[in-house]
Amino acid sequence: MLDFLKRPVETFQEFVLLSGRAFRNIFRSPHYADDILLQMDIIGAGSLFIVSLIGFFSGVVMALQMSRALATYGAQGKIGEIVSITLVRELGPVLASLLVAGRNASGIASELGSMRVTEQIDAMRALGTDPIQKLVTPRLIATAVVLPLLTIIADFLGLVGGYFIAATMLDITRSQYWSSAWQVLEYNDLTQGLIKPFLFAIVIALVGCYYGMHTSGGTQGVGRATTKAVVVSSVWIFVITSMLDPLFVNL
Amino acid sequence: MTPNELPAGSAAFPAAVIPRLPAESTPTVQFQDVCLSFGEVHALDHVSFSMNPGETRVVLGAAGSGKTMLLKTAVGLVMPNSGHIRLFGEEVTGRKEAQLFDLRARVGILFQEGGLFDSLIIAENVAYPLLNQHAIEQSHAPSEAEVKQRVREALRFVELEHTLDKFPSELSGGMRRRVGIARAVVTAPALVLYDSPTAGLDPITANTIIALILKERDLRNTATIMVTHRYQDGHLMANFRYNPSSGEIEPAASSQKTTRFLVMREGRVIFEGSQPELLASTDPYVQKFARPGSA
C-alpha cells in the first residue's frame, strides 16, 4: 500500500548516507587540496561574472521599482535602506545560490554522471580511491567556501546598482545613499545573509553529487541527473530560506 | 581445490577467522554459490567456480548475461546478496570498502571502455594506481622517478610511449583500451580482469589487444579472467602464447591446459570446461559461442 513511498524514502536514505560520508571525510585523510582549489576556481571564479552581473542588475531593478512606491510617501531617501536590507537578507543569497545551482549543480551532476556511466568511478574504486573522498568532499568544501564569498560580491554590486539609480534618477547624494544603506544593517542581517548561502552551498554540492553518483542509463541518464540536480537544489533553496526566515525575522 | 572441497562451514565465518591456506594451494579466485539480483533481475544466479594462479578463464555470454557483474563482484565493486567470493584465499564478501583496497591492489582491471579518467593525461592515468593504492603506499611508496619509469615501461609494453602527454579523448578506442591495459598491469598484479577488451574494435585492433593480454599473461604468469562475446578471443587465449625471445605470438598446446571456458546465460554459469569440451557441447546456447566467427 505504501509502495509509492518506497522510492522517495530510499532516495532520502541514500542522500543522507552520501552526505554523512562526505562530511566525515572532511576530517579524514587523504585530503585532496588540489581538487578543492580546482573546484573553487571552477565554481567561484567561473561564476563570478554572472553573479556580479545579476547582483548589479537586481540592485538597479530594486531601486527603480521601489522608488515609485517610496515617492508616494515622499520617502525616496530611504531607497538605500530598502535595497540594502532586501539584498543582504534575501535576494543576494537566493539569487547567487540559484545561479550557482543552475551553473554548478548541473555541472557537478553531469561530470560525475558521465564518470559513472563510463565506469570511471568504478575504476577509481578499483584503483584504491574512495570516490566520495576524491570527488564529493572537495566539491562540498569548495562550494561552501565560495558561495558566501560570491554572495558578498553580489550584495555589494547590488548596492552599487541601487546607488547608480539613486544618483542618476532620484537625486540622492552619495553619502545619503551609502550611510542609510550601511546603518540600517544589523548583525542579524549579516548573519543570515552569510548563513543562508553557506547552507545553500551544502545543498547544491550534495544534491549535484548525489544525482551524479547515482546516474544510470547511459547518456540519457546523465541528462536526467543534470535536470534533477538543478530542479531539486533550486527547490530546496526556497524551502530552506522559507524555513530560516521566520527564525531571523523574530530575532 | 573446487568450491565443494572448502572446509565445512568455513563459508559461514567472516574473513578474519578463516585460516589462510598455503600460497601454492590457494585459488586465486573462488566463487561459491554467489547470487546477485537487482529487483526481479538475477544478475548472478548461484555462480560457483574456482581458478588457480597462472590460469586463464574465458567468460562467454550474450549481453546482459552477467559477465561484467561477475568481474565487478570479484573485486567487491558490487557486493553479492549471498554466497562467498575469495581472492587469493581472502574473503571479499562482507568487507568494508576501505578493507578491500589492499586486495584490489593485487588485481588489475581493464574496464569495457577503458575506464580512463578524462581529466588526466595518459601518464597521470597510468601512474594513478601507483600513487593512490594504499597497499603500495604502505609497503613501498615509489619515488617520482620510479613512478615515471614504471609508467614509461607500462606504456612501452602496450607500444604507446608517445602518448604520455595526451588526454584520453585524443586517442582512438583501441589506443584507449591499450592504455587501460597499461594502467591495469603497471602495478604487476597477480590477477588481471579484462571486461570485453575487444568489444567495438576492428579485427586487427582486437587481435592486437589479445596479443597484449597474452604477452602480459605469459611474461609474468598472471592469472587472467577475460569476459568477451567473441569466441576468437578465447580461441587465441587457449591456443597461443607469447614467446619472449622472438617477441611474437605463437601456437602453444600448453595454453590449453590452463585455459577454461565459462558460458553465462541470464546470470547462471551454464557451461564450464576446456575448449574441446566447449566445442563438443550440444547445448544450443553454448554452441552459439563455440564456433569461429560467433558473436
Side-chain angles (χ1 to χ4, degrees):
Chain A
M1 193 175 79
L2 293 174
D3 274 359
F4 70 97
L5 282 176
K6 197 175 165 189
R7 189 62 214 142
V9 169
E10 271 180 3
T11 303
F12 183 70
Q13 183 185 337
E14 286 166 357
F15 179 77
V16 170
L17 282 172
L18 177 88
S19 308
R21 290 176 66 189
F23 277 111
R24 192 182 59 186
N25 286 342
I26 294 173
F27 308 102
R28 284 187 173 185
S29 60
H31 299 289
Y32 297 100
D34 290 353
D35 291 290
I36 296 172
L37 291 174
L38 178 70
Q39 291 304 321
M40 281 183 176
D41 182 47
I42 292 171
I43 299 165
S47 306
L48 186 60
F49 176 72
I50 186 75
V51 167
S52 304
L53 199 69
I54 299 298
F56 178 81
F57 282 110
S58 57
V60 167
V61 170
M62 178 97 55
L64 275 174
Q65 297 291 357
M66 293 311 294
S67 65
R68 190 178 149 200
L70 290 172
T72 313
Y73 306 103
Q76 281 185 325
K78 296 278 184 187
I79 199 78
E81 289 182 27
I82 288 186
V83 171
S84 179
I85 286 181
T86 320
L87 272 175
V88 171
R89 290 176 71 113
E90 197 66 56
L91 272 186
V94 170
L95 282 178
S97 302
L98 283 176
L99 287 170
V100 171
R103 197 177 171 278
N104 296 104
S106 59
I108 290 170
S110 61
E111 186 183 359
L112 300 196
S114 301
M115 289 182 76
R116 179 90 196 168
V117 298
T118 54
E119 294 186 309
Q120 292 178 53
I121 288 182
D122 279 339
M124 202 169 266
R125 291 174 63 205
L127 297 173
T129 308
D130 176 3
I132 295 178
Q133 184 99 31
K134 172 85 176 162
L135 300 172
V136 179
T137 303
R139 283 165 174 76
L140 173 65
I141 295 172
T143 317
V145 171
V146 299
L147 190 49
L149 298 177
L150 285 172
T151 303
I152 291 170
I153 293 168
D155 289 348
F156 174 70
L157 286 169
L159 285 170
V160 171
Y163 170 67
F164 175 72
I165 295 300
T168 56
M169 299 176 74
L170 306 176
D171 292 330
I172 294 171
T173 63
R174 187 175 67 184
S175 60
Q176 192 184 357
Y177 177 86
W178 286 107
S179 61
S180 67
W182 178 247
Q183 281 167 5
V184 76
L185 290 176
E186 296 173 1
Y187 280 115
N188 170 22
D189 304 317
L190 298 175
T191 307
Q192 69 165 305
L194 291 175
I195 284 179
K196 278 181 183 176
F198 179 72
L199 294 176
F200 297 157
I202 291 170
V203 169
I204 291 166
L206 290 176
V207 167
C209 289
Y210 171 78
Y211 283 108
M213 298 285 281
H214 287 79
T215 301
S216 60
T219 46
Q220 264 193 329
V222 176
R224 276 196 303 271
T226 307
T227 309
K228 278 184 186 171
V230 176
V231 171
V232 172
S233 55
S234 302
V235 168
W236 273 105
I237 285 169
F238 283 105
V239 171
I240 291 172
T241 197
S242 308
M243 286 160 66
L244 284 178
D245 280 349
L247 294 177
F248 283 103
V249 164
N250 294 330
L251 281 177
Chain B
M1 182 184 267
T2 67
N4 295 334
E5 293 172 286
L6 280 167
S10 65
F13 295 106
V17 297
I18 295 175
R20 291 284 301 275
L21 297 168
E24 61 271 19
S25 65
T26 306
T28 305
V29 182
Q30 206 171 21
F31 272 61
Q32 192 180 17
D33 209 24
V34 172
C35 294
L36 171 68
S37 56
F38 299 101
E40 299 294 308
V41 181
H42 296 287
L44 296 177
D45 194 358
H46 299 285
V47 172
S48 295
F49 76 95
S50 172
M51 66 182 284
N52 291 319
E55 288 188 347
T56 302
R57 291 288 177 278
V58 178
V59 185
L60 296 164
S65 59
K67 305 188 298 292
T68 297
M69 277 302 151
L70 186 85
L71 295 189
K72 288 189 175 177
T73 51
V75 288
L77 291 175
V78 179
M79 281 294 171
N81 302 116
S82 63
H84 290 270
I85 300 164
R86 291 182 186 83
L87 274 184
F88 312 107
E90 294 188 36
E91 188 80 23
V92 170
T93 35
R95 281 196 186 214
K96 287 184 178 174
E97 181 82 0
Q99 296 170 328
L100 284 165
F101 288 151
D102 291 351
L103 269 181
R104 289 180 190 153
R106 296 159 73 184
V107 183
I109 306 178
L110 172 69
F111 287 90
Q112 199 159 351
E113 299 293 332
L116 301 178
F117 303 124
D118 293 332
S119 55
L120 303 181
I121 59 170
I122 299 304
E124 290 168 337
N125 260 291
V126 179
Y128 196 92
L130 293 172
L131 298 173
N132 288 282
Q133 285 186 339
H134 295 275
I136 293 169
E137 281 173 17
Q138 283 164 8
S139 61
H140 168 65
S143 65
E144 199 176 326
E146 198 180 336
V147 170
K148 273 187 181 172
Q149 189 196 339
R150 287 177 71 175
V151 167
R152 277 190 181 279
E153 280 170 11
L155 284 169
R156 196 176 303 138
F157 178 83
V158 296
E159 296 164 16
L160 284 176
E161 207 181 345
H162 59 284
T163 63
L164 274 168
D165 298 324
K166 290 186 186 296
F167 280 95
S169 56
E170 297 175 71
L171 305 185
S172 68
M175 288 164 96
R176 281 202 295 272
R177 227 64 73 86
R178 281 153 68 189
V179 173
I181 293 177
R183 189 177 68 178
V185 304
V186 71
T187 55
L191 167 70
V192 187
L193 313 176
Y194 299 96
D195 187 2
S196 305
T198 59
L201 299 180
D202 63 86
I204 297 169
T205 312
N207 286 345
T208 309
I209 298 286
I210 297 296
L212 286 172
I213 294 172
L214 283 170
K215 188 174 164 186
E216 164 63 20
R217 181 190 72 175
D218 297 334
L219 274 178
R220 297 199 310 102
N221 197 32
T222 316
T224 304
I225 302 181
M226 187 175 72
V227 155
T228 182
H229 60 272
R230 290 197 342 148
Y231 170 76
Q232 296 96 310
D233 298 344
H235 174 75
L236 287 169
M237 295 298 286
N239 294 283
F240 287 79
R241 75 178 190 102
Y242 178 77
N243 184 338
S245 48
S246 67
E248 298 288 332
I249 305 299
E250 61 183 23
S254 59
S255 297
Q256 278 276 0
K257 293 177 193 162
T258 54
T259 304
R260 288 174 75 79
F261 289 75
L262 278 74
V263 179
M264 294 194 70
R265 181 180 191 177
E266 292 169 4
R268 282 178 295 120
V269 174
I270 60 164
F271 171 87
E272 183 181 1
S274 63
Q275 191 184 22
E277 288 167 339
L278 178 79
L279 293 169
S281 172
T282 54
D283 186 306
Y285 181 83
V286 174
Q287 279 182 338
K288 280 186 191 171
F289 292 96
R291 61 172 185 268
S294 63

Short mmCIF file of all heavy atoms in Angstrom, two decimals, chain A residues 112-155:
data_model
loop_
_atom_site.label_atom_id
_atom_site.label_comp_id
_atom_site.label_asym_id
_atom_site.label_seq_id
_atom_site.Cartn_x
_atom_site.Cartn_y
_atom_site.Cartn_z
N LEU A 112 30.03 14.06 -12.81
CA LEU A 112 30.07 12.80 -12.07
C LEU A 112 29.22 11.73 -12.76
O LEU A 112 29.57 10.55 -12.75
CB LEU A 112 29.61 12.99 -10.62
CG LEU A 112 30.40 13.98 -9.75
CD1 LEU A 112 30.07 13.77 -8.29
CD2 LEU A 112 31.89 13.85 -9.95
N GLY A 113 28.10 12.17 -13.36
CA GLY A 113 27.24 11.22 -14.08
C GLY A 113 27.97 10.60 -15.25
O GLY A 113 27.89 9.39 -15.47
N SER A 114 28.70 11.43 -16.00
CA SER A 114 29.47 10.90 -17.12
C SER A 114 30.54 9.94 -16.62
O SER A 114 30.80 8.89 -17.22
CB SER A 114 30.14 12.03 -17.89
OG SER A 114 29.19 12.92 -18.36
N MET A 115 31.16 10.31 -15.51
CA MET A 115 32.19 9.41 -14.94
C MET A 115 31.56 8.09 -14.52
O MET A 115 32.16 7.03 -14.66
CB MET A 115 32.86 10.07 -13.74
CG MET A 115 33.77 11.22 -14.09
SD MET A 115 34.59 11.92 -12.66
CE MET A 115 35.85 10.69 -12.33
N ARG A 116 30.33 8.19 -14.02
CA ARG A 116 29.64 6.97 -13.57
C ARG A 116 29.35 6.04 -14.75
O ARG A 116 29.65 4.85 -14.68
CB ARG A 116 28.32 7.39 -12.91
CG ARG A 116 27.47 6.25 -12.42
CD ARG A 116 27.83 5.91 -11.01
NE ARG A 116 27.32 4.62 -10.64
CZ ARG A 116 27.69 3.98 -9.53
NH1 ARG A 116 28.57 4.52 -8.73
NH2 ARG A 116 27.21 2.82 -9.24
N VAL A 117 28.77 6.61 -15.82
CA VAL A 117 28.35 5.73 -16.92
C VAL A 117 29.53 5.24 -17.75
O VAL A 117 29.41 4.25 -18.45
CB VAL A 117 27.29 6.39 -17.84
CG1 VAL A 117 26.03 6.72 -17.06
CG2 VAL A 117 27.81 7.64 -18.53
N THR A 118 30.67 5.92 -17.66
CA THR A 118 31.85 5.42 -18.39
C THR A 118 32.78 4.63 -17.45
O THR A 118 33.94 4.41 -17.77
CB THR A 118 32.65 6.58 -19.03
OG1 THR A 118 32.97 7.54 -18.01
CG2 THR A 118 31.86 7.27 -20.13
N GLU A 119 32.25 4.23 -16.33
CA GLU A 119 32.94 3.35 -15.37
C GLU A 119 34.19 3.98 -14.75
O GLU A 119 35.02 3.27 -14.20
CB GLU A 119 33.31 2.01 -16.03
CG GLU A 119 32.09 1.19 -16.41
CD GLU A 119 32.45 -0.19 -16.94
OE1 GLU A 119 33.29 -0.24 -17.84
OE2 GLU A 119 31.90 -1.19 -16.45
N GLN A 120 34.31 5.32 -14.84
CA GLN A 120 35.47 5.95 -14.21
C GLN A 120 35.38 5.90 -12.69
O GLN A 120 36.40 5.86 -12.00
CB GLN A 120 35.60 7.40 -14.69
CG GLN A 120 35.97 7.52 -16.14
CD GLN A 120 36.05 8.96 -16.61
OE1 GLN A 120 36.72 9.77 -16.01
NE2 GLN A 120 35.35 9.27 -17.68
N ILE A 121 34.15 5.91 -12.16
CA ILE A 121 34.00 5.87 -10.71
C ILE A 121 34.33 4.46 -10.20
O ILE A 121 35.01 4.30 -9.18
CB ILE A 121 32.59 6.35 -10.29
CG1 ILE A 121 32.55 7.86 -10.53
CG2 ILE A 121 32.28 6.01 -8.84
CD1 ILE A 121 31.30 8.55 -10.16
N ASP A 122 33.90 3.45 -10.95
CA ASP A 122 34.29 2.07 -10.61
C ASP A 122 35.80 1.92 -10.69
O ASP A 122 36.42 1.27 -9.84
CB ASP A 122 33.62 1.07 -11.55
CG ASP A 122 32.18 0.77 -11.14
OD1 ASP A 122 31.85 1.01 -9.96
OD2 ASP A 122 31.40 0.31 -11.98
N ALA A 123 36.39 2.52 -11.75
CA ALA A 123 37.84 2.43 -11.92
C ALA A 123 38.55 3.07 -10.73
O ALA A 123 39.53 2.54 -10.21
CB ALA A 123 38.26 3.10 -13.22
N MET A 124 38.01 4.20 -10.28
CA MET A 124 38.60 4.89 -9.13
C MET A 124 38.59 4.00 -7.90
O MET A 124 39.59 3.88 -7.18
CB MET A 124 37.76 6.15 -8.88
CG MET A 124 38.47 7.22 -8.12
SD MET A 124 37.50 8.72 -8.18
CE MET A 124 38.25 9.51 -9.58
N ARG A 125 37.45 3.34 -7.68
CA ARG A 125 37.35 2.42 -6.53
C ARG A 125 38.31 1.25 -6.70
O ARG A 125 38.98 0.82 -5.76
CB ARG A 125 35.92 1.90 -6.38
CG ARG A 125 34.94 2.97 -5.95
CD ARG A 125 33.53 2.43 -5.97
NE ARG A 125 33.34 1.33 -5.05
CZ ARG A 125 32.40 0.39 -5.19
NH1 ARG A 125 31.58 0.42 -6.22
NH2 ARG A 125 32.29 -0.58 -4.31
N ALA A 126 38.36 0.73 -7.93
CA ALA A 126 39.24 -0.41 -8.18
C ALA A 126 40.71 -0.04 -7.99
O ALA A 126 41.53 -0.88 -7.67
CB ALA A 126 39.01 -0.94 -9.60
N LEU A 127 41.02 1.24 -8.19
CA LEU A 127 42.41 1.68 -8.09
C LEU A 127 42.73 2.26 -6.72
O LEU A 127 43.72 2.97 -6.55
CB LEU A 127 42.73 2.70 -9.20
CG LEU A 127 42.62 2.14 -10.62
CD1 LEU A 127 42.77 3.24 -11.65
CD2 LEU A 127 43.65 1.06 -10.87
N GLY A 128 41.89 1.99 -5.76
CA GLY A 128 42.23 2.31 -4.37
C GLY A 128 41.83 3.68 -3.89
O GLY A 128 42.37 4.17 -2.90
N THR A 129 40.90 4.34 -4.56
CA THR A 129 40.47 5.67 -4.12
C THR A 129 38.98 5.65 -3.78
O THR A 129 38.19 5.09 -4.52
CB THR A 129 40.71 6.71 -5.23
OG1 THR A 129 42.05 6.60 -5.66
CG2 THR A 129 40.45 8.11 -4.74
N ASP A 130 38.64 6.29 -2.67
CA ASP A 130 37.23 6.43 -2.30
C ASP A 130 36.66 7.58 -3.12
O ASP A 130 37.10 8.74 -2.96
CB ASP A 130 37.14 6.73 -0.80
CG ASP A 130 35.71 7.00 -0.35
OD1 ASP A 130 34.80 6.90 -1.20
OD2 ASP A 130 35.51 7.31 0.83
N PRO A 131 35.71 7.32 -4.03
CA PRO A 131 35.20 8.40 -4.89
C PRO A 131 34.54 9.53 -4.11
O PRO A 131 34.54 10.68 -4.57
CB PRO A 131 34.19 7.71 -5.81
CG PRO A 131 34.19 6.28 -5.49
CD PRO A 131 35.07 6.03 -4.31
N ILE A 132 33.99 9.22 -2.94
CA ILE A 132 33.36 10.28 -2.15
C ILE A 132 34.44 11.22 -1.61
O ILE A 132 34.31 12.44 -1.65
CB ILE A 132 32.49 9.68 -1.02
CG1 ILE A 132 31.33 8.92 -1.66
CG2 ILE A 132 31.97 10.78 -0.09
CD1 ILE A 132 30.43 8.23 -0.70
N GLN A 133 35.54 10.62 -1.18
CA GLN A 133 36.67 11.42 -0.68
C GLN A 133 37.28 12.28 -1.80
O GLN A 133 37.64 13.43 -1.60
CB GLN A 133 37.75 10.47 -0.14
CG GLN A 133 38.93 11.19 0.49
CD GLN A 133 38.83 11.24 1.98
OE1 GLN A 133 38.28 10.34 2.59
NE2 GLN A 133 39.34 12.27 2.59
N LYS A 134 37.38 11.68 -2.97
CA LYS A 134 38.08 12.33 -4.08
C LYS A 134 37.18 13.31 -4.85
O LYS A 134 37.65 14.33 -5.34
CB LYS A 134 38.60 11.23 -5.01
CG LYS A 134 39.20 11.69 -6.32
CD LYS A 134 40.64 12.06 -6.18
CE LYS A 134 41.26 12.42 -7.53
NZ LYS A 134 42.50 13.16 -7.38
N LEU A 135 35.89 12.97 -4.95
CA LEU A 135 35.02 13.77 -5.83
C LEU A 135 34.00 14.61 -5.07
O LEU A 135 33.76 15.76 -5.43
CB LEU A 135 34.27 12.84 -6.80
CG LEU A 135 35.12 11.99 -7.74
CD1 LEU A 135 34.26 10.99 -8.50
CD2 LEU A 135 35.88 12.86 -8.71
N VAL A 136 33.37 14.01 -4.04
CA VAL A 136 32.26 14.71 -3.37
C VAL A 136 32.77 15.72 -2.34
O VAL A 136 32.38 16.90 -2.37
CB VAL A 136 31.30 13.70 -2.70
CG1 VAL A 136 30.16 14.43 -1.99
CG2 VAL A 136 30.73 12.74 -3.74
N THR A 137 33.66 15.28 -1.45
CA THR A 137 34.11 16.17 -0.37
C THR A 137 34.78 17.45 -0.90
O THR A 137 34.47 18.54 -0.42
CB THR A 137 35.02 15.40 0.61
OG1 THR A 137 34.29 14.27 1.10
CG2 THR A 137 35.45 16.26 1.77
N PRO A 138 35.67 17.36 -1.90
CA PRO A 138 36.25 18.62 -2.41
C PRO A 138 35.21 19.57 -2.98
O PRO A 138 35.30 20.79 -2.79
CB PRO A 138 37.20 18.14 -3.53
CG PRO A 138 37.54 16.75 -3.16
CD PRO A 138 36.31 16.19 -2.53
N ARG A 139 34.19 19.03 -3.64
CA ARG A 139 33.15 19.90 -4.20
C ARG A 139 32.30 20.52 -3.09
O ARG A 139 31.87 21.67 -3.18
CB ARG A 139 32.26 19.09 -5.17
CG ARG A 139 32.94 18.87 -6.52
CD ARG A 139 32.26 17.80 -7.35
NE ARG A 139 32.84 17.71 -8.68
CZ ARG A 139 33.99 17.13 -8.97
NH1 ARG A 139 34.72 16.56 -8.02
NH2 ARG A 139 34.47 17.10 -10.21
N LEU A 140 32.07 19.75 -2.03
CA LEU A 140 31.31 20.26 -0.89
C LEU A 140 32.07 21.41 -0.22
O LEU A 140 31.51 22.49 0.01
CB LEU A 140 31.08 19.11 0.11
CG LEU A 140 30.44 19.47 1.44
CD1 LEU A 140 29.02 19.97 1.24
CD2 LEU A 140 30.43 18.27 2.38
N ILE A 141 33.36 21.18 0.04
CA ILE A 141 34.16 22.21 0.72
C ILE A 141 34.26 23.46 -0.18
O ILE A 141 34.05 24.59 0.28
CB ILE A 141 35.58 21.68 1.04
CG1 ILE A 141 35.50 20.54 2.06
CG2 ILE A 141 36.48 22.80 1.56
CD1 ILE A 141 36.81 19.82 2.29
N ALA A 142 34.55 23.23 -1.45
CA ALA A 142 34.75 24.36 -2.36
C ALA A 142 33.48 25.21 -2.47
O ALA A 142 33.53 26.45 -2.37
CB ALA A 142 35.15 23.85 -3.75
N THR A 143 32.33 24.56 -2.63
CA THR A 143 31.07 25.32 -2.76
C THR A 143 30.75 26.06 -1.47
O THR A 143 30.32 27.22 -1.50
CB THR A 143 29.90 24.38 -3.14
OG1 THR A 143 30.34 23.47 -4.13
CG2 THR A 143 28.71 25.16 -3.67
N ALA A 144 30.97 25.39 -0.33
CA ALA A 144 30.65 26.02 0.97
C ALA A 144 31.54 27.22 1.24
O ALA A 144 31.13 28.15 1.94
CB ALA A 144 30.79 24.99 2.09
N VAL A 145 32.74 27.24 0.68
CA VAL A 145 33.63 28.39 0.88
C VAL A 145 33.29 29.52 -0.09
O VAL A 145 33.20 30.68 0.31
CB VAL A 145 35.12 27.97 0.71
CG1 VAL A 145 36.04 29.19 0.70
CG2 VAL A 145 35.53 27.02 1.84
N VAL A 146 33.10 29.17 -1.35
CA VAL A 146 32.99 30.26 -2.34
C VAL A 146 31.60 30.87 -2.46
O VAL A 146 31.49 32.05 -2.79
CB VAL A 146 33.46 29.81 -3.76
CG1 VAL A 146 34.91 29.40 -3.74
CG2 VAL A 146 32.58 28.74 -4.35
N LEU A 147 30.55 30.12 -2.15
CA LEU A 147 29.21 30.70 -2.33
C LEU A 147 28.95 31.89 -1.39
O LEU A 147 28.43 32.92 -1.83
CB LEU A 147 28.12 29.63 -2.21
CG LEU A 147 26.72 30.06 -2.61
CD1 LEU A 147 26.69 30.77 -3.95
CD2 LEU A 147 25.76 28.89 -2.64
N PRO A 148 29.33 31.81 -0.10
CA PRO A 148 29.17 33.02 0.74
C PRO A 148 29.99 34.19 0.21
O PRO A 148 29.54 35.34 0.25
CB PRO A 148 29.70 32.56 2.11
CG PRO A 148 29.45 31.08 2.12
CD PRO A 148 29.70 30.64 0.70
N LEU A 149 31.19 33.90 -0.35
CA LEU A 149 32.00 34.99 -0.90
C LEU A 149 31.33 35.59 -2.14
O LEU A 149 31.31 36.81 -2.31
CB LEU A 149 33.40 34.46 -1.27
CG LEU A 149 34.24 33.92 -0.10
CD1 LEU A 149 35.57 33.37 -0.59
CD2 LEU A 149 34.49 35.02 0.93
N LEU A 150 30.78 34.72 -2.97
CA LEU A 150 30.06 35.22 -4.16
C LEU A 150 28.86 36.06 -3.75
O LEU A 150 28.54 37.08 -4.38
CB LEU A 150 29.59 34.05 -5.03
CG LEU A 150 30.64 33.32 -5.86
CD1 LEU A 150 30.05 32.07 -6.50
CD2 LEU A 150 31.20 34.24 -6.95
N THR A 151 28.22 35.64 -2.65
CA THR A 151 27.04 36.38 -2.17
C THR A 151 27.44 37.79 -1.72
O THR A 151 26.73 38.76 -1.99
CB THR A 151 26.37 35.61 -1.02
OG1 THR A 151 26.03 34.31 -1.50
CG2 THR A 151 25.13 36.30 -0.52
N ILE A 152 28.57 37.88 -1.02
CA ILE A 152 29.05 39.20 -0.56
C ILE A 152 29.26 40.11 -1.77
O ILE A 152 28.88 41.28 -1.78
CB ILE A 152 30.36 39.04 0.25
CG1 ILE A 152 30.06 38.34 1.58
CG2 ILE A 152 31.01 40.40 0.50
CD1 ILE A 152 31.29 37.91 2.36
N ILE A 153 29.87 39.54 -2.81
CA ILE A 153 30.12 40.33 -4.03
C ILE A 153 28.80 40.74 -4.69
O ILE A 153 28.62 41.89 -5.11
CB ILE A 153 31.01 39.51 -5.01
CG1 ILE A 153 32.39 39.34 -4.41
CG2 ILE A 153 31.09 40.19 -6.38
CD1 ILE A 153 33.26 38.32 -5.11
N ALA A 154 27.85 39.78 -4.74
CA ALA A 154 26.54 40.08 -5.35
C ALA A 154 25.83 41.19 -4.55
O ALA A 154 25.25 42.12 -5.13
CB ALA A 154 25.68 38.83 -5.39
N ASP A 155 25.91 41.09 -3.22
CA ASP A 155 25.28 42.10 -2.36
C ASP A 155 25.88 43.48 -2.64
O ASP A 155 25.16 44.47 -2.81
CB ASP A 155 25.50 41.76 -0.88
CG ASP A 155 24.69 40.55 -0.44
OD1 ASP A 155 23.80 40.14 -1.20
OD2 ASP A 155 24.97 40.01 0.65
#
